[in-house]
């Protein structure tokens, strides 16, 4: 059916859907009588919630985005699994997936979907998860999971309470059978007398917690358990290996007296203490319900029947309107309660604070000292992006004998300890030759020094000689590594909640981490297989402006990028500069790998910049001396205050730096300056040998990949890689989910470590690819490591493509 576009509440969609549906179909979608009572209890629990409004909070546009299982969702809302969307609309789950993709929200697809996994995946632009029923015939379950994984699904949601399916009395009284043409598109067979009969006949009613280990053994996808209603079961699920839980009371269970999900949520969330994502479904009918669930401990909610109602009323557009209604209502409630972002939702929002006049009992740590509630700390401390490097370091130390392609750091063989003293003396002699007194020389080493840096003239001179970048020294700020340069630039340029930072995706985690710490919204501009496209960036710019936001800057690594190793062509660089001028935004150019790459390099964006559109971020960590942690930012843009006074953006960055690190270590600056002076500012001369070494390392890696994966094997295995001509990194596409679990197996069983590419996609992606860093290893270690990697890839592929995984006899 179709109806006018509204605006409607979710209750309106239910009324319209019921009016247009056959009574038997409506009863089936509404569930059995027991399930209907359970749903009513869930709705009533949300109705009891009372929010505590806040005033003068300064919250403008709340941030509804959240990150779960490594993917960023536009809001903490997903679509719950419901069978046979084709009962509501012929397009069924295909239409639902299309609407979910445009909303940026995930969709949990039922095993009993009316459209094939492949068709659903083609329409999807947001994460798809598969609801799993465990059949008595495990091969049936395995085949479904393999098909979903091949189609690009990203997680499994085991419905744990389905074997105890209640009797659907209304379906029995109606004699309900699925209408002609409505079939489970992903299961073979001659059709079913009724969904309930099929469940009772085919579901494995003897499941125990070992089923999670079995699911993990046949698939690399994370497993969530749906149907949790007690803290004990929640803890058991995590102990069994679940990556998340869904608090749910109607995934088939229709007993009277089952508690409302919202009522048991605080106990369950409190028992887990952030050990895994906690989702909840059942009874969500308003955006305020979403915030209530978050405040009581959920990470996200799953929305079920309202989606089906929207599909019945308006097809794909109806689903999109239902989702946008919920998200809009969520944002309104957040603003009303002074909640700036979803990670700041906590019990006091819904009356969970201590009674007036009483003081909360202080927390105590395990050592007996004062403790802190993590939920009261900044949300970034729980953000996965801040855990990526810690996880890699943990894996590397846990498996010291493994060959590690993870570290993106220079090769140790280039450093001589005594050189530190040589370069330090070189700079001190330079100061004396310039007329500095002994007292001034001493002060230059032992005292704090100017915030903007004391070697700015040498940095500017080096940039002119090495890169053709002509800027005055006063436009340079010397920083504590390039990471501080990013932080300063983002903090200065992003002034409010409507400002957006765009990044080329995949991108270096340092920029997304800095943005997260600063509560800055990031918009990813996805690269294609051919690399970055200005057309895609322009489309993102226009889309952000249509949302009422102001794109302020675009971050990119044009040369041998981290993580993919791609290089931006000269023509694209020129197009990007023209685009920045046309749409009035700045470019944050980060190019740390140019001087350590062989051959002639393309000109930097900054050297081509004639309109001061480029803020150039630099570092001497890769080219000179990682341990000094000396970086810099070139910010020659003019800044005009309200009185008409002008200055440089560099001056503003220095003001911020004065409150952050005060200044960059004078000793580190002195050693770096001595290195620059030793080659008259031409760092390319210091890097002739290193560039040749890294170029050879890249060629050795590519040669070994060719040897271990002959061309005829690659398509059968589903493996491929790019071929950078410089830098430290390349990307490898593999036929499985390259996540933390796969990495641990690779390290433990095969002795080789790599980096999941998904770490570098701020809004999701890269789940089936990995990054190899070639910089830190000797050529012999590279050859050994690629052989180990090949054995691991073939072992993983053997679970799905046994014949293709067998290596050819000649190698």
């Amino acid at each position: 059916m179709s109806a006018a576009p509204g605006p409607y509440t979710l209750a309106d969609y239910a009324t319209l859907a019921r009016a247009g549906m056959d009574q038997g179909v409506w009863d089936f979608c509404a569930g059995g009588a027991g399930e209907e009572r359970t749903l009513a209890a869930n709705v009533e629990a949300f109705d009891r919630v009372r929010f505590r409004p806040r005033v003068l909070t300064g919250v403008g546009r709340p941030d509804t985005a959240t990150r779960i299982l490594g993917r960023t969702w536009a809001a903490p809302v997903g679509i719950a699994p419901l069978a046979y969307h084709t009962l509501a609309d012929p397009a069924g789950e295909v239409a639902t997936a299309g609407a979910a993709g445009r909303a940026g929200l995930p969709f949990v697809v039922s095993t009993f979907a009316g459209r094939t996994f492949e068709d659903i995946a083609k329409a999807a632009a947001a994460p798809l998860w598969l609801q799993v029923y465990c059949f008595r015939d495990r091969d049936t379950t395995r085949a479904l999971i393999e098909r979903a994984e091949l189609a690009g699904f990203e997680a499994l949601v085991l419905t744990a309470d389905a074997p105890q399916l209640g009797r659907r009395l209304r379906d029995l009284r109606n004699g309900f059978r699925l209408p002609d043409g409505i079939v489970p598109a992903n299961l073979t067979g001659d059709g079913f007398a009724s969904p309930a009969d099929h469940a009772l006949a085919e579901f494995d009613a003897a499941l125990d917690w070992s089923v999670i280990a079995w699911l993990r053994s046949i698939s690399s996808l994370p497993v969530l358990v749906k149907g949790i209603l007690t803290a004990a079961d929640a803890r058991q699920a995590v102990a069994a290996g679940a990556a998340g839980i869904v608090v749910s009371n109607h995934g088939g269970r229709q007993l009277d007296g089952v508690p409302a999900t919202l009522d048991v949520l605080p106990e369950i969330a409190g028992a887990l203490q952030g050990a895994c994502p906690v989702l909840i479904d059942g009874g969500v009918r308003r955006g305020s319900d979403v915030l209530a669930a978050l405040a009581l401990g959920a990470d996200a909610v799953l929305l079920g029947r309202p989606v089906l109602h929207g599909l019945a009323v308006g097809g794909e557009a109806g689903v999109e309107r239902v989702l946008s209604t919920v998200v809009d209502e969520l944002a309104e409630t957040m603003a009303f309660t002074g909640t700036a972002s979803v990670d700041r939702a906590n019990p006091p929002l819904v009356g969970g604070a201590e009674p007036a006049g009483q003081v909360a009992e202080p927390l105590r740590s395990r050592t007996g000292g004062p403790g802190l509630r993590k939920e009261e700390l900044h949300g970034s401390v729980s953000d996965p992006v801040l855990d990526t490097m810690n996880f890699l370091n943990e894996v590397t130390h846990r498996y010291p004998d493994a060959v590690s392609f993870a570290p993106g750091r220079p090769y140790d063989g280039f450093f001589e300890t005594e050189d530190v003293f040589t370069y330090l003396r070189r700079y001190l002699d330079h100061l004396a030759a310039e007329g500095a007194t002994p007292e001034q020389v001493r002060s230059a080493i032992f005292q704090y020094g100017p915030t903007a840096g004391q070697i700015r003239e040498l940095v500017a001179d080096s940039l002119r000689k090495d890169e053709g970048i002509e800027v005055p020294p006063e436009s340079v700020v010397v920083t504590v590594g390039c990471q501080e340069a990013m932080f300063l630039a983002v903090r200065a340029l992003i002034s409010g909640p409507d400002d957006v930072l765009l990044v080329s995706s995949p991108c270096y985690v340092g920029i997304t981490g800095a943005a997260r710490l600063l509560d800055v919204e990031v918009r990813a501009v996805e690269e294609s297989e051919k690399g970055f496209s200005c057309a895609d960036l322009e489309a993102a710019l226009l889309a952000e402006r249509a949302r009422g936001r102001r794109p302020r800057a675009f971050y990119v690594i044009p040369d041998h990028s981290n993580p993919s190793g791609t290089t931006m062509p000269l023509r694209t660089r020129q197009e990007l500069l023209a685009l920045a001028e046309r749409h009035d935004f700045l470019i944050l150019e980060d190019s740390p790998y140019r001087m350590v790459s062989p051959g002639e390099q393309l000109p930097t964006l900054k050297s081509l910049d004639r309109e001061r559109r480029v803020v150039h971020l630099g570092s001497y960590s890769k080219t000179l001396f990682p341990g000094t942690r000396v970086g810099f930012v070139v910010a020659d843009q003019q800044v005009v205050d309200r009185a008409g006074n002008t200055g440089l953006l560099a001056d503003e960055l220095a003001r911020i730096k004065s409150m952050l690190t005060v200044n960059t270590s004078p000793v580190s600056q002195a050693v770096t300056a001595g290195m620059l002076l030793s080659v008259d500012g031409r760092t390319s001369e210091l890097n002739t040998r290193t560039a040749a070494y890294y170029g050879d390392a890249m060629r050795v890696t590519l040669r070994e990949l060719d040897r271990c994966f002959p061309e005829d094997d690659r398509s059968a295995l589903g493996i491929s890689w790019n071929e950078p001509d410089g830098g430290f990194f390349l990307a490898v596409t593999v036929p499985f989910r390259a996540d933390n679990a796969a990495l641990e197996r690779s390290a433990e069983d095969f002795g080789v470590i790599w980096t999941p590419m998904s770490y570098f996609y701020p809004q999701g992606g890269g789940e089936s690819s990995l990054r190899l860093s070639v910089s830190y290893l000797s050529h012999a270690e590279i050859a050994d490591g690629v052989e180990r990697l090949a054995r691991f890839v073939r072992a993983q592929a053997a679970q799905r493509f046994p014949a293709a995984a067998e290596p050819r006899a000649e190698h």
Side-chain angles (χ1 to χ4, degrees):
M1 62 175 291
S2 180
Y8 299 136
T9 66
L10 268 59
D12 294 332
Y13 280 104
T15 301
L16 290 167
R18 182 166 193 169
M21 277 185 173
D22 173 84
Q23 184 63 44
V25 171
W26 172 263
D27 285 346
F28 170 73
C29 293
E35 189 173 2
E36 194 169 41
R37 287 193 294 273
T38 300
L39 174 60
N42 289 336
V43 172
E44 190 273 333
F46 280 108
D47 286 343
R48 293 198 306 268
V49 171
R50 294 294 180 267
F51 287 97
R52 293 186 171 190
R54 300 292 302 277
V55 298
L56 300 178
T57 61
V59 174
R61 184 192 299 271
D63 181 6
T64 62
T66 191
R67 192 167 176 86
I68 294 178
L69 295 184
R71 293 295 304 270
T72 299
W73 303 3
V77 179
I79 297 178
L82 289 171
Y84 306 116
H85 286 211
T86 42
L87 288 168
D89 184 89
E93 290 82 4
V94 170
T96 304
R102 283 192 296 280
L105 304 176
F107 174 21
V108 186
V109 178
S110 170
T111 291
F112 291 94
R115 298 295 298 268
T116 68
F117 296 153
E118 293 78 10
D119 285 345
I120 298 169
K122 288 178 184 176
L128 294 177
W129 294 357
L130 174 65
Q131 177 209 28
V132 176
Y133 293 110
C134 204
F135 294 93
R136 289 193 175 109
D137 179 3
R138 291 289 177 96
D139 286 341
T140 298
T141 306
R142 182 196 298 266
L144 285 167
I145 291 171
E146 288 176 349
R147 278 186 55 198
E149 192 166 358
L150 282 172
F153 283 52
E154 300 179 12
L156 306 176
V157 181
L158 173 67
T159 298
D161 55 351
Q164 305 302 323
L165 193 69
R167 299 179 68 212
R168 299 171 65 96
L169 295 177
R170 289 194 299 189
D171 291 349
L172 294 173
R173 294 192 188 106
N174 293 338
F176 179 76
R177 290 173 178 268
L178 295 173
D180 291 342
I182 305 296
V183 296
N186 300 287
L187 291 166
T188 58
D190 298 324
F192 315 112
S194 75
D197 288 345
H198 178 71
L200 293 172
E202 301 297 336
F203 291 171
D204 185 350
L207 291 180
D208 59 27
W209 290 106
S210 66
V211 68
I212 298 176
W214 179 75
L215 290 171
R216 295 181 68 194
S217 74
I218 65 170
S219 171
S220 61
L221 300 182
V223 179
L224 296 89
V225 179
K226 181 177 184 291
I228 300 295
L229 284 173
T230 67
D233 277 352
R235 286 190 291 263
Q236 184 66 56
V238 173
I245 67 164
V246 183
V247 180
S248 174
N249 58 9
H250 63 282
R253 181 183 296 165
Q254 300 167 30
L255 300 175
D256 288 335
V258 171
T261 52
L262 195 68
D263 289 340
V264 298
L265 174 62
E267 176 189 357
I268 292 171
L272 293 182
Q273 289 291 306
C276 71
V278 175
L279 285 70
I280 182 175
D281 71 4
V284 176
R285 295 297 181 267
R286 299 170 297 246
S288 58
D289 296 345
V290 179
L291 188 60
L294 300 182
L296 293 175
D299 294 290
V301 307
L302 296 179
L303 191 66
R305 287 182 180 83
V307 171
L308 211 59
H309 299 157
L311 186 64
V313 172
E316 185 171 334
V319 175
E320 192 170 358
R321 289 196 294 270
V322 164
L323 297 176
S324 66
T325 296
V326 172
V327 175
D328 288 347
E329 290 176 351
L330 167 63
E332 291 169 0
T333 311
M334 290 174 66
F336 179 68
T337 57
T339 309
S341 57
V342 295
D343 53 29
R344 296 185 181 180
N346 51 35
L349 282 179
V350 291
E354 290 72 27
Q358 296 185 22
V359 179
E361 182 180 348
L363 288 174
R364 290 286 167 183
S365 69
R366 293 178 181 176
T367 60
L372 298 172
R373 290 180 174 86
K374 191 168 183 177
E375 65 269 19
E376 294 179 354
L377 303 180
H378 188 264
S380 64
V381 301
S382 300
D383 196 304
V385 73
L386 271 65
D387 294 329
T388 56
M389 294 303 105
N390 287 338
F391 177 78
L392 281 178
N393 289 334
E394 177 188 335
V395 169
T396 300
H397 287 103
R398 200 188 315 162
Y399 304 103
D401 295 329
V403 177
S404 181
F405 288 102
R409 55 183 177 178
Y411 179 55
D412 272 347
F414 297 130
F415 306 123
E416 296 292 340
T417 305
E418 292 301 315
D419 287 348
V420 176
F421 306 104
T422 301
Y423 293 131
L424 183 58
R425 172 51 60 189
R426 179 73 180 80
Y427 178 61
L428 298 181
D429 290 344
H430 165 76
L431 291 178
E434 292 288 305
T437 66
E439 291 77 15
Q440 289 171 327
V441 171
R442 183 178 64 224
S443 179
I445 294 298
F446 285 97
Q447 287 295 349
Y448 292 112
T451 298
Q454 61 189 30
I455 63 169
R456 294 195 289 171
E457 291 80 4
L458 295 175
V459 173
D461 178 65
S462 178
L463 287 171
R464 178 176 57 81
K465 292 172 178 175
D466 268 338
E467 301 285 19
I469 295 176
E470 298 277 357
V471 291
E474 55 267 25
S475 70
V476 175
V477 178
V478 182
T479 58
V480 181
C482 192
Q483 189 65 38
E484 187 187 26
M486 294 178 200
F487 195 99
L488 298 177
V490 173
R491 177 66 293 160
L493 295 175
I494 308 298
S495 62
D498 291 335
D499 289 346
V500 180
L501 171 68
L502 295 99
V503 300
S504 184
S505 180
C507 70
Y508 172 55
V509 295
I511 189 69
T512 50
R516 183 66 185 91
L517 289 170
L518 293 168
D519 288 324
V520 167
E521 181 170 347
V522 171
R523 167 68 183 264
V525 181
E526 300 290 342
E527 292 185 0
S528 69
E529 292 181 359
K530 297 180 180 179
F532 166 75
S533 163
C534 284
D536 292 339
L537 174 58
E538 186 166 29
L541 290 165
L542 294 174
E544 288 302 312
R545 288 216 169 95
R547 295 175 61 201
R549 297 180 183 270
R550 181 176 64 156
R552 287 288 282 157
F554 171 63
Y555 171 88
V556 66
I557 302 178
D559 302 285
H560 320 295
S561 70
N562 181 5
S564 62
T566 59
T567 293
M568 184 184 294
L570 177 59
R571 181 174 179 179
T572 305
R573 296 172 193 238
Q574 294 166 335
E575 291 175 352
L576 177 57
L577 289 167
L579 189 68
E581 177 68 14
R582 188 162 67 250
H583 285 283
D584 190 24
F585 65 91
L586 295 178
I587 301 166
L588 304 183
E589 177 187 30
D590 184 7
S591 287
Y593 307 105
R594 293 169 53 81
M595 292 296 127
V596 291
S597 297
E600 185 176 352
Q601 302 299 308
L602 293 172
T604 64
L605 291 168
K606 188 61 183 175
S607 67
L608 298 171
D609 182 21
R610 301 293 177 265
E611 303 296 333
R612 296 187 181 182
R613 287 287 165 185
V614 178
V615 176
H616 186 78
L617 311 172
S619 170
Y620 293 117
S621 291
K622 306 297 187 293
T623 55
L624 299 182
F625 193 156
T628 61
R629 300 297 301 130
V630 172
F632 57 88
V633 55
V634 177
D636 60 344
Q637 291 73 24
Q638 282 201 338
V639 176
V640 183
D641 66 17
R642 292 181 178 178
N645 302 312
T646 62
L648 292 175
L649 178 59
D651 299 330
E652 311 308 322
L653 302 186
R655 288 189 177 92
I656 299 171
K657 178 179 171 64
S658 71
M659 292 292 109
L660 186 64
T661 58
V662 183
N663 71 322
T664 302
S665 164
V667 176
S668 291
Q669 291 188 70
V671 174
T672 301
M675 298 183 79
L676 292 174
L677 289 165
S678 71
V679 288
D680 191 30
R682 294 176 171 83
T683 61
S684 52
E685 293 184 13
L686 281 175
N687 284 283
T688 301
R689 184 165 65 100
T690 56
Y693 182 89
Y694 295 132
D696 287 343
M698 183 66 73
R699 284 188 288 272
V700 168
T701 305
L702 295 172
R703 182 193 69 203
E704 291 301 311
L705 286 169
D706 282 336
R707 182 178 67 84
C708 293
F709 297 103
E711 190 169 354
D712 291 344
D713 286 359
R714 295 174 201 169
S715 59
L717 278 172
I719 186 169
S720 61
W721 54 86
N722 61 341
E723 298 186 2
D725 57 6
F728 287 7
F729 311 105
L730 73 154
V732 181
T733 301
V734 293
F736 52 85
R737 188 178 182 86
D739 56 9
N740 287 354
L743 173 55
E744 289 193 89
R745 185 187 178 204
S746 177
E748 182 170 356
D749 297 343
F750 297 88
V752 61
I753 298 172
W754 35 266
T755 307
M757 280 289 282
S758 58
Y759 287 1
F760 304 98
Y761 285 79
Q763 291 173 344
E767 287 79 11
S768 295
S769 57
L770 51 90
R771 187 193 77 173
L772 298 182
S773 172
V774 306
S775 61
Y776 186 65
L777 301 174
S778 68
H779 295 172
E781 289 171 326
I782 289 172
D784 181 26
V786 172
E787 282 196 359
R788 297 183 188 200
L789 178 67
R791 290 196 293 272
F792 166 67
V793 170
R794 290 183 184 279
Q796 289 288 98
Q799 297 181 11
R800 292 159 57 180
F801 312 111
E806 290 297 325
R808 293 177 176 270
E810 56 266 29
H811 58 83

